[in-house]
Amino acid sequence: MKKVLSSDTIRLLIPALSLTILLISVFYLQPRAMSYVGLNLLFNLAVPIALATIAQMLIMTVNDLDLSMGTFVSFVACVAATFLQATPVIGVLILAAAIATYAALGVLIHMRNLPSIVVTLGMSFIWGGLAVLILPAPGGEAPAWVRAVMISRPPFMPMAIIACIIIAVVSHFIIMRSSFGVILRGVGGNARSVERAGWSILGVRAATYALAAFFAILAGISLVGLTTSADANIALRYTLLSIAGVILGGGEFTGGRVSPIGAVIGALTLTLAGSFLSFLRISPDWQIGAQGAILIVVLGLRLLLNRLENRGKRS
Amino acid sequence: MNILVSLSRKPWIWSFVAAFAVWVATILFTGGASTIGLSQAALTFAAFSILVGIGQMFVITLGPGNIDLCVPATMTLAGTVALKFMQVDNSLILPGLVVAIAIGVAVGIGNYALIKLLQIPPIIATLSMSFIVQSTAIWTNRGLRIKPPEALATFTTETTIGIPNVALVALVLSVLAFILLQKTVYGRWIAAIGQSIRAARMAGIPVDGTRFVTYVLCSILAAVCGYLLASFSGGAALNMGSEYLLMSIAVVVIGGTAVAGGNSNVAGIWGASLFMFLVVSMLNTYGAGAGIRLIMTGLIIIAVIVVAGGRNPNQR
């Protein structure tokens, strides 16, 4: 039995287990959540968070960290609620320019050997400033087609869950199954050996950053689809949420060890933690604190399972 | 000429050059009318960034992945609890400081306990801890704005021989930090751990003890900063620490401390902190809106790191 489970599977098992436990507790506290509408409400906000988490995960795969994720998603949300809605052509052009900017950042970070934390820190001011310029006061309107997709009600399964499954499957194929994904994780694991094998690290970095920007843009657009209007500060907490989501899902900061499915599950867990706490009727003062406590408990659980796994290997 | 060359090799020089250039640009625009006022304001506000920056620098020196995201929450909690404890009573100022420091110690112990016992990466450990600390601050604060004791408020807002008192406090603590880093065995240990944790362990350095002390030190500095900032701004507010999260990281890195650890720089933090404040005030004087100001700040941070990073190829 032990041999059937690879260490990658165990890596995935822990986030999945924590999500299940959390979900069961929510159902126990509020049985009415166990319905089509209930599940949709529970996981609605998970879609943009999951997309942002995948974007962050891509950056983390090449051993970098994006501290501008939150402001970038806010910026995209502002563009989506104004230009993309009123003049779609200009909106698409702006977003394409944003992807190009990310690719250029990847090139810059690689060429000058800069710390990604600082460069993205600087970028977070720039995205924030652009967002304020586009939308000085909260407002704007979601494009009709985005709204239609986000509130659509497919049979059997709520939109939020279908979307999360699609995100997980697509990113799993890109990162774990495609040859691009293998090179990508190779750069995170040992950049020098990938380079000696004849790949351009520069190109891989640029492509990774562009792909991350693409996922972050989807996050911003889907967020606007849910909230119907945007605001320059709408997604600031996504920076920390996305990092926490990747780690909860079994990813590591270095070495290219990531799990796309785990990252989506991590994002779902973080979203669910919020709902779980409001069902527990915890005083709002302690909501954030309890979220921190859940994060600690889940990570403690992971340590425990890792230890068991190591013991199994030794014996 | 040789002096110039050797100066240009110092990692901290660039932040001072940049700060000075921005200072001159602002003064020229106002025709020299605001020289003293601007310099004093810059020193005052830079002092707060310097305090948290030094703490963050100690942690970042420990090596890749070491970072304290709990700084803003610690500042808020220490400021809130200390002001509540002092109850506008001048005789309780020193005990209030002790309370703030005690909170710093407690948060630091909590941070390192999570990192060590649960083997969580420091970013996530301090992030989870900051959620809990922030909640405690919300719970104690209850939206009230408690005033600081009269004497403390005067101390933090006044100047001595033209230099703001908070800047003097920052100077004293910076000198202490410099001595600690450069002249004591503890400082050497931090640098050694940052360069290679395995080599440090094999050399018999008490790695866990050193890391533990460093995290506690960072939290104490954040707590002291929160105590002073709350007194300076006439009361503790729940969001008073929020801008210092990115600021503390930015000043460390712009100041020339290696992000990968093992190499730190106290002087650079002064240059970087002054620079960060002066950029904002320069753009304010030029009448730029909030959006333009943010964009310019970001562009300047990137420009500085591109220039400084190119000078020092070992930095990453």
Side-chain angles (χ1 to χ4, degrees):
Chain A
M1 180 64 198
K2 278 256 164 66
K3 275 176 191 162
V4 181
L5 292 174
S6 70
S7 83
D8 276 351
T9 321
I10 292 192
R11 222 159 233 281
L12 205 55
L13 209 62
I14 302 153
L17 203 66
S18 6
L19 180 65
T20 316
I21 293 174
L22 209 52
L23 201 56
I24 290 174
S25 342
V26 168
F27 286 161
Y28 176 76
L29 287 169
Q30 184 53 275
R32 267 177 293 177
M34 219 181 329
S35 62
Y36 187 95
V37 180
L39 280 174
N40 204 17
L41 285 176
L42 277 181
F43 288 118
N44 234 340
L45 277 174
V47 178
I49 297 180
L51 286 164
T53 309
I54 293 290
Q56 184 72 261
M57 189 194 66
L58 282 162
I59 305 270
M60 278 166 73
T61 313
V62 290
N63 292 352
D64 286 347
L65 202 59
D66 187 356
L67 290 186
S68 63
M69 189 56 72
T71 45
F72 182 64
V73 174
S74 307
F75 161 76
V76 173
C78 289
V79 173
T82 52
F83 290 107
L84 203 58
Q85 189 260 337
T87 45
V89 179
I90 299 180
V92 170
L93 282 179
I94 294 178
L95 295 179
I99 293 185
T101 311
Y102 254 83
L105 281 183
V107 172
L108 182 73
I109 288 173
H110 186 78
M111 299 275 281
R112 304 281 292 181
N113 203 10
L114 298 175
S116 61
I117 293 186
V118 190
V119 177
T120 53
L121 184 77
M123 284 313 291
S124 78
F125 286 99
I126 295 181
W127 299 125
L130 288 172
V132 171
L133 284 184
I134 292 173
L135 216 57
E141 199 185 328
W145 55 273
V146 177
R147 185 86 192 120
V149 171
M150 291 312 286
I151 59 166
S152 63
R153 297 168 134 259
F156 307 120
M157 235 193 277
M159 188 59 202
I161 296 184
I162 293 182
C164 284
I165 293 176
I166 294 176
I167 297 167
V169 170
V170 168
S171 52
H172 181 80
F173 270 94
I174 295 178
I175 293 164
M176 308 307 276
R177 289 298 162 92
S178 76
S179 54
F180 170 70
V182 173
I183 300 165
L184 184 65
R185 284 181 290 136
V187 170
N190 190 339
R192 191 173 288 172
S193 64
V194 174
E195 198 167 20
R196 287 205 178 131
W199 301 99
S200 150
I201 308 261
L202 182 68
V204 174
R205 256 231 168 77
T208 312
Y209 272 73
L211 194 61
F214 177 71
F215 274 102
I217 284 173
L218 291 183
I221 293 177
S222 61
L223 182 61
V224 168
L226 288 171
T227 57
T228 69
S229 69
D231 160 17
N233 299 323
I234 193 167
L236 291 191
R237 45 191 204 103
Y238 276 32
T239 305
L240 296 178
L241 273 181
S242 62
I243 300 175
V246 176
I247 300 294
L248 266 184
E252 308 263 346
F253 281 105
T254 52
R257 293 194 78 172
V258 291
S259 155
I261 298 180
V264 172
I265 294 178
L268 289 174
T269 312
L270 284 172
T271 323
L272 203 57
S275 320
F276 171 66
L277 295 172
S278 45
F279 284 137
L280 272 184
R281 301 224 172 89
I282 291 182
S283 134
D285 291 355
W286 290 103
Q287 288 260 350
I288 318 171
Q291 218 152 358
I294 289 184
L295 209 57
I296 294 172
V297 168
V298 171
L299 290 168
L301 199 72
R302 176 166 141 197
L303 173 76
L304 199 73
L305 284 173
N306 275 349
R307 287 235 170 110
L308 287 178
E309 178 197 357
N310 286 343
R311 200 168 298 161
K313 262 183 202 160
R314 240 172 266 148
S315 59
Chain B
M1 201 54 208
N2 271 333
I3 301 173
L4 271 183
V5 170
S6 71
L7 260 184
S8 75
R9 291 227 178 93
K10 299 268 187 225
W12 49 264
I13 195 76
W14 298 102
S15 60
F16 277 97
V17 169
F20 185 72
V22 175
W23 183 76
V24 169
T26 318
I27 298 288
L28 284 181
F29 188 80
T30 56
S34 60
T35 314
I36 295 177
L38 177 72
S39 315
Q40 283 183 343
L43 280 173
T44 309
F45 283 97
F48 298 117
S49 320
I50 290 166
L51 285 179
V52 287
I54 292 176
Q56 192 72 268
M57 180 191 69
F58 273 89
V59 171
I60 288 178
T61 308
L62 280 177
N66 282 296
I67 207 159
D68 190 349
L69 296 185
C70 201
V71 163
T74 315
M75 284 174 66
T76 312
L77 184 65
T80 313
V81 176
L83 287 196
K84 215 172 180 183
F85 173 80
M86 291 186 286
Q87 293 185 326
V88 208
D89 187 349
N90 279 340
S91 62
L92 285 175
I93 289 179
L94 276 183
L97 181 61
V98 174
V99 168
I101 292 178
I103 288 172
V105 172
V107 173
I109 293 178
N111 273 337
Y112 195 66
L114 287 181
I115 294 170
K116 186 68 199 165
L117 296 180
L118 292 183
Q119 294 173 3
I120 307 176
I123 292 192
I124 298 295
T126 52
L127 174 66
S128 323
M129 193 67 194
S130 80
F131 286 160
I132 295 174
V133 174
Q134 183 72 25
S135 262
T136 321
I138 296 175
W139 174 67
T140 39
N141 189 301
R142 295 247 162 243
L144 294 175
R145 206 173 166 89
I146 314 150
K147 280 211 161 75
E150 195 67 38
L152 186 60
T154 334
F155 172 76
T156 47
T157 44
E158 299 248 301
T159 57
T160 313
I161 28 169
I163 301 170
N165 287 331
V166 278
L168 292 174
V169 172
L171 182 65
V172 170
L173 288 174
S174 309
V175 170
L176 285 179
F178 180 79
I179 296 172
L180 200 58
L181 269 175
Q182 305 293 336
K183 306 288 173 201
T184 66
V185 68
Y186 164 74
R188 304 285 93 192
W189 282 348
I190 301 185
I193 292 172
Q195 278 155 20
S196 166
I197 193 162
R198 274 194 60 175
R201 193 164 273 148
M202 292 192 175
I205 293 173
V207 172
D208 287 328
T210 311
R211 293 181 72 196
F212 170 70
V213 170
T214 309
Y215 274 93
V216 172
L217 200 65
C218 177
S219 298
I220 291 178
L221 280 167
V224 171
C225 179
Y227 170 85
L228 289 174
L229 183 61
S231 312
F232 173 77
S233 48
L238 281 177
N239 60 351
M240 66 183 220
S242 54
E243 66 174 297
Y244 286 91
L245 175 60
L246 296 181
M247 188 63 88
S248 68
I249 305 172
V251 296
V252 171
V253 178
I254 294 176
T257 296
V259 183
N263 188 6
S264 45
N265 200 316
V266 180
I269 289 187
W270 276 78
S273 300
L274 289 169
F275 171 65
M276 291 297 283
F277 175 80
L278 285 168
V279 165
V280 175
S281 51
M282 174 182 78
L283 296 169
N284 271 335
T285 347
Y286 288 3
I292 302 281
R293 214 163 59 215
L294 283 168
I295 295 173
M296 289 304 293
T297 314
L299 284 177
I300 291 170
I301 292 180
I302 294 179
V304 166
I305 195 66
V306 168
V307 171
R311 298 272 158 188
N312 188 356
N314 292 330
Q315 187 176 336
R316 204 196 129 80

